[in-house]
Amino acid sequence: MRILLTGGAGFIGLPTARALTAAGHDVVVLDSLRPDVHASGTVSDAATTLPDGARLVRADVRDLDAVTASLDGVDAVVHLAAKVGLGVDIADVDDYVSSNDLGTAVLIRAVAAAGVPHVAYASSMVVYGEGRYVCTGAGSGEHGVVAPGPRRVEDLDAGIFDPRCPRCDAVLAPGLVGEDAPLDPRNVYAATKVHGEHLLAAWARETGGTATALRFHNVYGPGMPRDTPYAGVASLFRSELAHGRAPRVFEDGAQRRDFVHVDDVAAAVSLAAAHPAGPGVTPLNVGSGTVTTVGGMAQVLADVMGGPAPVVTGEYRAGDVRHVTASSDRAAEVLGWRARIGLREGIGELVAAPA
């Protein structure tokens, strides 16, 4: 198959390009090499890191002519190009919407005109907002699965970080979120990811095409962005430890996440590109299947790097999500995929990679 890979020179894009070419696909990479993502932003540097046989087109996914030209002979599209992270403040909103919403709209317009039947789309766990919660109340499963409202400032100030049941006020117990959970985007980036899924659903209904929305959980590994407001928590902790400083962990450090290695993510994307689930849009969680706390991630990094132990600060940001962890069982059923790289092994690879 010939596959167009947008954002293919990025953190997730490069391992995906390698996975696709290793599977025998002909890969065309379209990437803008924007400087807030790529330190050098040069075609020569990007070209030398792509796997043999992959062709690089330097262009923005919002450039209809460039995207259209890149679709010549393409059988499927992997759409990773996006502005990622949670941003800095509301001043980021127009760039997020332009890069992500308009970028996806331009792409699917070109895809529809070219008659490409399948798109694998990089969505995110952030579409869920908070994860899955069960109210135990006065007894086991008192109110069942419930959707918590915003956490109270007075609770946060008192060190009560878990959300409460909207019916009885009991502190809720977290669980694993499945793809059928309601979507509740709580920041601009999350809103653009939800909108991307909806745009693809409209395209699929109109054209009969299929899309797989891969809801990545906390992706980490070699090559991840660092020292920027858009970096992931593993990268931020690594940077602190590299400077001899203890990583600072907010709240009580017990926030639950699912950290999945970038090579495992790339394997899932490669399978999704070649195996449409159809019809319409099929959402799939892409996580490790292992629950790890943010404090636990910081401690593993400190152990591997031989640095100071994390400092749990008790500080909080009122809008932060408390717990979101995935069930990736559907990806196993649909794609035959499961993550293979354990956290300590993956952190070792991250630490060994060039900073």
Side-chain angles (χ1 to χ4, degrees):
M1 293 174 60
R2 176 172 289 180
I3 295 175
L4 175 64
L5 172 60
T6 74
F11 164 49
I12 298 175
L14 282 170
T16 299
R18 291 192 290 267
L20 289 168
T21 54
H25 301 299
D26 177 16
V27 178
V28 179
V29 168
L30 185 142
D31 200 298
S32 66
L33 304 181
R34 56 187 291 171
D36 57 341
V37 176
H38 302 273
S40 65
T42 66
V43 172
S44 60
D45 286 350
T48 58
T49 57
L50 289 175
D52 290 343
R55 178 166 62 90
L56 175 65
V57 176
R58 183 176 186 174
D60 195 295
V61 74
R62 292 166 289 187
D63 182 339
L64 179 61
D65 290 340
V67 173
T68 299
S70 298
L71 286 168
D72 183 39
V74 163
D75 302 296
V77 171
V78 173
H79 182 35
L80 304 183
K83 180 167 179 163
V84 300
L86 304 185
V88 181
D89 54 37
I90 202 65
D92 271 352
V93 64
D94 52 342
D95 194 19
Y96 271 105
V97 171
S98 177
S99 299
N100 299 358
D101 293 14
L102 179 59
T104 300
V106 170
L107 176 70
I108 62 175
R109 175 182 171 183
V111 163
V116 178
H118 181 60
V119 177
Y121 169 66
S123 188
S124 172
M125 67 170 191
V126 297
V127 300
Y128 298 116
E130 287 282 358
R132 184 179 188 271
Y133 289 90
V134 174
C135 171
T136 57
S140 178
E142 177 71 13
H143 293 124
V145 177
V146 296
R151 295 184 290 173
R152 304 170 185 167
V153 171
E154 55 268 32
D155 277 348
L156 297 172
D157 286 339
I160 301 170
F161 298 112
D162 288 320
R164 293 181 179 273
C165 176
R167 296 179 61 184
C168 70
D169 216 36
V171 173
L172 296 172
L176 301 180
V177 65
E179 291 87 350
D180 296 330
L183 304 186
D184 182 22
R186 298 193 175 195
N187 56 62
V188 172
Y189 172 64
T192 66
K193 289 286 125 180
V194 171
H195 193 212
E197 291 193 23
H198 290 171
L199 288 172
L200 284 164
W203 162 77
R205 283 192 295 270
E206 186 166 332
T207 66
T210 59
T212 305
L214 297 156
R215 294 174 177 167
F216 302 152
H217 282 248
N218 291 79
V219 185
Y220 74 97
M224 69 187 305
R226 62 183 184 89
D227 298 332
T228 82
Y230 311 100
V233 65
S235 185
L236 296 173
F237 290 160
R238 180 195 182 194
S239 291
E240 289 298 290
L241 287 161
H243 288 92
R245 298 188 292 262
R248 294 173 59 81
V249 180
F250 277 19
E251 301 187 11
D252 57 358
Q255 308 94 306
R256 290 159 51 107
R257 297 292 186 268
D258 186 322
F259 294 97
V260 58
H261 193 278
V262 67
D263 287 345
D264 281 330
V265 170
V269 176
S270 180
L271 288 168
H275 300 91
V281 178
T282 301
L284 298 176
N285 286 331
V286 177
S288 70
T290 300
V291 174
T292 303
T293 65
V294 173
M297 161 61 88
Q299 186 61 61
V300 171
L301 268 164
D303 291 345
V304 171
M305 296 181 70
V311 173
V312 177
T313 69
E315 298 173 74
Y316 65 84
R317 292 173 295 207
D320 279 0
V321 170
R322 175 61 175 172
H323 303 297
V324 56
T325 51
S327 167
S328 296
D329 289 346
R330 185 181 292 180
E333 295 167 6
V334 172
L335 301 177
W337 172 90
R338 286 195 185 275
R340 299 182 181 278
I341 301 172
L343 182 64
R344 188 168 289 272
E345 176 188 354
I347 290 298
E349 292 183 10
L350 171 63
V351 171

